[in-house]
Amino acid sequence: MADTTEPTRRDFIHIASGAASVVGVGFFAWPLIDQMNPSADTMALATIELDISNIEEGQQVVAKWQGKPVFIRYRTPAEIAAADAVDVASLRDKQTDDERLIPGPDGKLKPQYLVAIGVCTHLGCVPLFDPNDEKGGEYRGWFCPCHGSHYDNSGRIRKGPAPKNLEIPPYWYITDTVLEIGKEAVV
Amino acid sequence: MSGHSRYDPKTGIEKWLDARLPIIRLGVDTLIFPSPRNLNYWWTFGAILAVMLVSQLITGIILAMHYVPHPDHAFDAIQHINRDVNYGWLLQPMHAVGASMMFLAAYIHMFRGIYYGSAKNPREMIWIVGMVIYLLMMAAGFMGYVLPWGQMSIWGAIVITNLFSAIPPEAAGTSVTQWLWGGFSVDGPTLNRFFSLHYLLPFLIVAMVMLHVWALHIPSNNNPTGISIKTKADTLDFHPYYTVKDAFAIVVFLMIFSWFLFFMPDSMGHPDNLIPANPLSTPAHIVPEWYYLPFYAMLRAVPDKLLGVLTMFGAIAILFVLPWLDTSKVRSMRYRPLAKLFFFIFVLACLGLGWCGAKLPSDLVFATGVDEAGNAVGFSFVWLSRILTVYYFAFFFPILPILGWVEKPKPRPASIEASVLAHAKGDD
């Protein structure tokens, strides 16, 4: 054995059975790992429909989607103007206000409605909204009470530890006043 | 384990059993082994922790008989246990307060290990296994706090599981949190799996405690002088000398435990946890249990999310390599005046970080004046926690390695026996 440099049949069998065992363990381990992922019934509750006609200007409603709060905020013209006036280059997560909106059935953006997932991108708390702008943070948007992140009325991170803007969920306007959250518009 | 066995079976039954399953020999040799004769009361916390672990196991198994891990029923189940289950008023707080007491004992045990150099050669593996136990305790404590499904439970779970979203999304940060939650948010599946794991972890801790004690039996205990055992005159048998000493300390500790249990069982909890969990409304001020506060303060001290998370986990990770950072040839800080000073500052820094963790980062430690709007300005807790976090890490590196190099230790006694006899004559 010592003087042969060629691999033997036994070497081959060792390597082949070792490799097959690794693959076998992998196949067995995957169900044990994957069972922790969201189950089929959880995945099935993926979309909601929402009538937004009863939101008043300057107010927001909170809908529950996939267990998370979704903010639908009816912004005033002054708020929209303030969101548009921001210098995008100065932002941590650079997005214009328009990039955070989607068009309605007529193909035009609807800047009065901002839809965002109400989960702070830092560690997942629900940021506070205050129509009187007392608890809504320095940028008149939202303020996260947990670790002090300030968002503007476009849901963009302006100050504090959060790394990203409030996430925009996939949604589309079924009609002018009815949203479906959880699904993109079919174009 | 090490050394020759002290067990001598006398009766026929004992001899018969010893030849087949020498379990009595194992027990006798575990209890009757030579220990340094100068162990002080700081050495009793190991036995106290063993008692607390058993207490947590027994009360926990009982609570699981009455608990329902479902978002609609979990909160009510705790009320049911406290109000309706026979002696539930005793057993539920015993488990909740017991967790706090166990962490208290563990922290004292760890500080003692650092001060007397118990982590150092040849006891590195005892320390490392101990750190694994500490990590398992943290995981068990966290998941246990989620089970009552109050506001602090769910929001604590949301904040802590979101730590994993600090992993950049390109490296699968989002799917890691969904995998942990079993959904798109902390909800029923999360509660159910936390219950399952909370039941599992204590048994892993028991297994690790066995390794901890096994590793301890190889070099025997360290002692306040840090000097190794040289002769039999340096030692006493663990039983009966230290079983009695430990028993006395356990009784005193249980009295303190009982005082909390019977007179202020809610003092270490948070009133918000008596509000049922609501995933749409965050409490104004989320705080973890007191035993995590120093790490929470470090998390918030760093303005960047990923770096904050790394700092927090790094604070625990650095403890694992302590045996190699403390390079001094002298184990006990009793003979290391500089190390002793830096150690006490370290203890204060840990307590200070705990204080910071309980406060809002923007709260002021002290005010220096008011701004134009009339709000007080001054030295805020976020800055205090930054300074203390820097000291926490600086203590391990570079202070300890540098001290090992430059510090001139005080003269040490020739042996444990000499130290004890000098003490008895009043020279110490």
PDB file of all heavy atoms in Angstrom, chain A residues 75-92:
ATOM      1  N   ARG A  75     -51.851  62.970   3.311  1.00  0.00           N
ATOM      2  CA  ARG A  75     -50.997  64.125   3.601  1.00  0.00           C
ATOM      3  C   ARG A  75     -51.630  65.422   3.104  1.00  0.00           C
ATOM      4  O   ARG A  75     -52.292  65.457   2.057  1.00  0.00           O
ATOM      5  CB  ARG A  75     -49.622  63.919   2.968  1.00  0.00           C
ATOM      6  CG  ARG A  75     -48.932  62.663   3.502  1.00  0.00           C
ATOM      7  CD  ARG A  75     -47.534  62.522   2.993  1.00  0.00           C
ATOM      8  NE  ARG A  75     -47.493  62.332   1.536  1.00  0.00           N
ATOM      9  CZ  ARG A  75     -46.367  62.245   0.845  1.00  0.00           C
ATOM     10  NH1 ARG A  75     -45.189  62.327   1.450  1.00  0.00           N
ATOM     11  NH2 ARG A  75     -46.393  62.067  -0.452  1.00  0.00           N
ATOM     12  N   THR A  76     -51.375  66.502   3.806  1.00  0.00           N
ATOM     13  CA  THR A  76     -51.874  67.824   3.396  1.00  0.00           C
ATOM     14  C   THR A  76     -50.967  68.354   2.287  1.00  0.00           C
ATOM     15  O   THR A  76     -49.821  67.909   2.153  1.00  0.00           O
ATOM     16  CB  THR A  76     -51.837  68.808   4.572  1.00  0.00           C
ATOM     17  OG1 THR A  76     -50.473  68.960   4.974  1.00  0.00           O
ATOM     18  CG2 THR A  76     -52.647  68.298   5.757  1.00  0.00           C
ATOM     19  N   PRO A  77     -51.444  69.297   1.484  1.00  0.00           N
ATOM     20  CA  PRO A  77     -50.582  69.876   0.440  1.00  0.00           C
ATOM     21  C   PRO A  77     -49.286  70.434   1.017  1.00  0.00           C
ATOM     22  O   PRO A  77     -48.221  70.317   0.400  1.00  0.00           O
ATOM     23  CB  PRO A  77     -51.456  70.992  -0.150  1.00  0.00           C
ATOM     24  CG  PRO A  77     -52.857  70.558   0.121  1.00  0.00           C
ATOM     25  CD  PRO A  77     -52.819  69.805   1.410  1.00  0.00           C
ATOM     26  N   ALA A  78     -49.355  71.050   2.201  1.00  0.00           N
ATOM     27  CA  ALA A  78     -48.142  71.597   2.814  1.00  0.00           C
ATOM     28  C   ALA A  78     -47.148  70.481   3.114  1.00  0.00           C
ATOM     29  O   ALA A  78     -45.931  70.620   2.908  1.00  0.00           O
ATOM     30  CB  ALA A  78     -48.505  72.344   4.092  1.00  0.00           C
ATOM     31  N   GLU A  79     -47.645  69.341   3.582  1.00  0.00           N
ATOM     32  CA  GLU A  79     -46.761  68.215   3.903  1.00  0.00           C
ATOM     33  C   GLU A  79     -46.113  67.655   2.638  1.00  0.00           C
ATOM     34  O   GLU A  79     -44.930  67.325   2.618  1.00  0.00           O
ATOM     35  CB  GLU A  79     -47.548  67.118   4.629  1.00  0.00           C
ATOM     36  CG  GLU A  79     -47.901  67.476   6.056  1.00  0.00           C
ATOM     37  CD  GLU A  79     -48.797  66.452   6.736  1.00  0.00           C
ATOM     38  OE1 GLU A  79     -49.535  65.730   6.025  1.00  0.00           O
ATOM     39  OE2 GLU A  79     -48.764  66.377   7.963  1.00  0.00           O
ATOM     40  N   ILE A  80     -46.924  67.563   1.563  1.00  0.00           N
ATOM     41  CA  ILE A  80     -46.382  67.046   0.300  1.00  0.00           C
ATOM     42  C   ILE A  80     -45.287  67.974  -0.201  1.00  0.00           C
ATOM     43  O   ILE A  80     -44.211  67.526  -0.621  1.00  0.00           O
ATOM     44  CB  ILE A  80     -47.507  66.914  -0.750  1.00  0.00           C
ATOM     45  CG1 ILE A  80     -48.552  65.909  -0.249  1.00  0.00           C
ATOM     46  CG2 ILE A  80     -46.937  66.462  -2.089  1.00  0.00           C
ATOM     47  CD1 ILE A  80     -49.842  65.936  -1.047  1.00  0.00           C
ATOM     48  N   ALA A  81     -45.562  69.296  -0.108  1.00  0.00           N
ATOM     49  CA  ALA A  81     -44.561  70.262  -0.549  1.00  0.00           C
ATOM     50  C   ALA A  81     -43.287  70.129   0.270  1.00  0.00           C
ATOM     51  O   ALA A  81     -42.175  70.170  -0.257  1.00  0.00           O
ATOM     52  CB  ALA A  81     -45.128  71.681  -0.425  1.00  0.00           C
ATOM     53  N   ALA A  82     -43.435  69.917   1.587  1.00  0.00           N
ATOM     54  CA  ALA A  82     -42.264  69.772   2.458  1.00  0.00           C
ATOM     55  C   ALA A  82     -41.470  68.524   2.070  1.00  0.00           C
ATOM     56  O   ALA A  82     -40.235  68.539   2.041  1.00  0.00           O
ATOM     57  CB  ALA A  82     -42.710  69.697   3.917  1.00  0.00           C
ATOM     58  N   ALA A  83     -42.183  67.430   1.763  1.00  0.00           N
ATOM     59  CA  ALA A  83     -41.497  66.188   1.404  1.00  0.00           C
ATOM     60  C   ALA A  83     -40.759  66.340   0.081  1.00  0.00           C
ATOM     61  O   ALA A  83     -39.666  65.783  -0.109  1.00  0.00           O
ATOM     62  CB  ALA A  83     -42.504  65.035   1.320  1.00  0.00           C
ATOM     63  N   ASP A  84     -41.348  67.092  -0.852  1.00  0.00           N
ATOM     64  CA  ASP A  84     -40.709  67.298  -2.154  1.00  0.00           C
ATOM     65  C   ASP A  84     -39.500  68.211  -2.058  1.00  0.00           C
ATOM     66  O   ASP A  84     -38.579  68.118  -2.858  1.00  0.00           O
ATOM     67  CB  ASP A  84     -41.718  67.905  -3.139  1.00  0.00           C
ATOM     68  CG  ASP A  84     -42.611  66.836  -3.743  1.00  0.00           C
ATOM     69  OD1 ASP A  84     -42.130  65.675  -3.835  1.00  0.00           O
ATOM     70  OD2 ASP A  84     -43.756  67.135  -4.107  1.00  0.00           O
ATOM     71  N   ALA A  85     -39.512  69.119  -1.068  1.00  0.00           N
ATOM     72  CA  ALA A  85     -38.463  70.130  -0.976  1.00  0.00           C
ATOM     73  C   ALA A  85     -37.161  69.587  -0.404  1.00  0.00           C
ATOM     74  O   ALA A  85     -36.140  70.271  -0.429  1.00  0.00           O
ATOM     75  CB  ALA A  85     -38.964  71.293  -0.116  1.00  0.00           C
ATOM     76  N   VAL A  86     -37.197  68.345   0.120  1.00  0.00           N
ATOM     77  CA  VAL A  86     -35.997  67.810   0.781  1.00  0.00           C
ATOM     78  C   VAL A  86     -34.889  67.555  -0.241  1.00  0.00           C
ATOM     79  O   VAL A  86     -35.145  67.056  -1.338  1.00  0.00           O
ATOM     80  CB  VAL A  86     -36.356  66.499   1.508  1.00  0.00           C
ATOM     81  CG1 VAL A  86     -35.109  65.815   2.046  1.00  0.00           C
ATOM     82  CG2 VAL A  86     -37.340  66.773   2.619  1.00  0.00           C
ATOM     83  N   ASP A  87     -33.663  67.928   0.139  1.00  0.00           N
ATOM     84  CA  ASP A  87     -32.506  67.643  -0.711  1.00  0.00           C
ATOM     85  C   ASP A  87     -32.157  66.161  -0.562  1.00  0.00           C
ATOM     86  O   ASP A  87     -31.686  65.715   0.488  1.00  0.00           O
ATOM     87  CB  ASP A  87     -31.329  68.526  -0.266  1.00  0.00           C
ATOM     88  CG  ASP A  87     -30.057  68.161  -1.012  1.00  0.00           C
ATOM     89  OD1 ASP A  87     -30.153  67.486  -2.051  1.00  0.00           O
ATOM     90  OD2 ASP A  87     -28.975  68.549  -0.534  1.00  0.00           O
ATOM     91  N   VAL A  88     -32.420  65.396  -1.629  1.00  0.00           N
ATOM     92  CA  VAL A  88     -32.271  63.938  -1.554  1.00  0.00           C
ATOM     93  C   VAL A  88     -30.838  63.533  -1.236  1.00  0.00           C
ATOM     94  O   VAL A  88     -30.588  62.560  -0.527  1.00  0.00           O
ATOM     95  CB  VAL A  88     -32.743  63.294  -2.882  1.00  0.00           C
ATOM     96  CG1 VAL A  88     -32.475  61.808  -2.877  1.00  0.00           C
ATOM     97  CG2 VAL A  88     -34.218  63.556  -3.079  1.00  0.00           C
ATOM     98  N   ALA A  89     -29.883  64.322  -1.732  1.00  0.00           N
ATOM     99  CA  ALA A  89     -28.475  63.970  -1.502  1.00  0.00           C
ATOM    100  C   ALA A  89     -28.136  63.971  -0.019  1.00  0.00           C
ATOM    101  O   ALA A  89     -27.201  63.293   0.418  1.00  0.00           O
ATOM    102  CB  ALA A  89     -27.574  64.940  -2.251  1.00  0.00           C
ATOM    103  N   SER A  90     -28.919  64.716   0.791  1.00  0.00           N
ATOM    104  CA  SER A  90     -28.607  64.804   2.217  1.00  0.00           C
ATOM    105  C   SER A  90     -29.176  63.623   3.005  1.00  0.00           C
ATOM    106  O   SER A  90     -28.937  63.506   4.204  1.00  0.00           O
ATOM    107  CB  SER A  90     -29.172  66.102   2.784  1.00  0.00           C
ATOM    108  OG  SER A  90     -30.592  66.021   2.796  1.00  0.00           O
ATOM    109  N   LEU A  91     -29.932  62.740   2.353  1.00  0.00           N
ATOM    110  CA  LEU A  91     -30.616  61.672   3.080  1.00  0.00           C
ATOM    111  C   LEU A  91     -29.714  60.451   3.274  1.00  0.00           C
ATOM    112  O   LEU A  91     -28.831  60.179   2.474  1.00  0.00           O
ATOM    113  CB  LEU A  91     -31.875  61.243   2.318  1.00  0.00           C
ATOM    114  CG  LEU A  91     -32.960  62.304   2.179  1.00  0.00           C
ATOM    115  CD1 LEU A  91     -34.087  61.772   1.310  1.00  0.00           C
ATOM    116  CD2 LEU A  91     -33.489  62.707   3.544  1.00  0.00           C
ATOM    117  N   ARG A  92     -30.004  59.714   4.341  1.00  0.00           N
ATOM    118  CA  ARG A  92     -29.255  58.487   4.608  1.00  0.00           C
ATOM    119  C   ARG A  92     -29.628  57.410   3.602  1.00  0.00           C
ATOM    120  O   ARG A  92     -28.786  56.701   3.075  1.00  0.00           O
ATOM    121  CB  ARG A  92     -29.576  58.014   6.032  1.00  0.00           C
ATOM    122  CG  ARG A  92     -28.786  56.810   6.473  1.00  0.00           C
ATOM    123  CD  ARG A  92     -29.105  56.433   7.908  1.00  0.00           C
ATOM    124  NE  ARG A  92     -28.823  57.536   8.831  1.00  0.00           N
ATOM    125  CZ  ARG A  92     -29.245  57.577  10.095  1.00  0.00           C
ATOM    126  NH1 ARG A  92     -29.942  56.575  10.590  1.00  0.00           N
ATOM    127  NH2 ARG A  92     -28.981  58.598  10.868  1.00  0.00           N
TER     128      ARG A  92
END
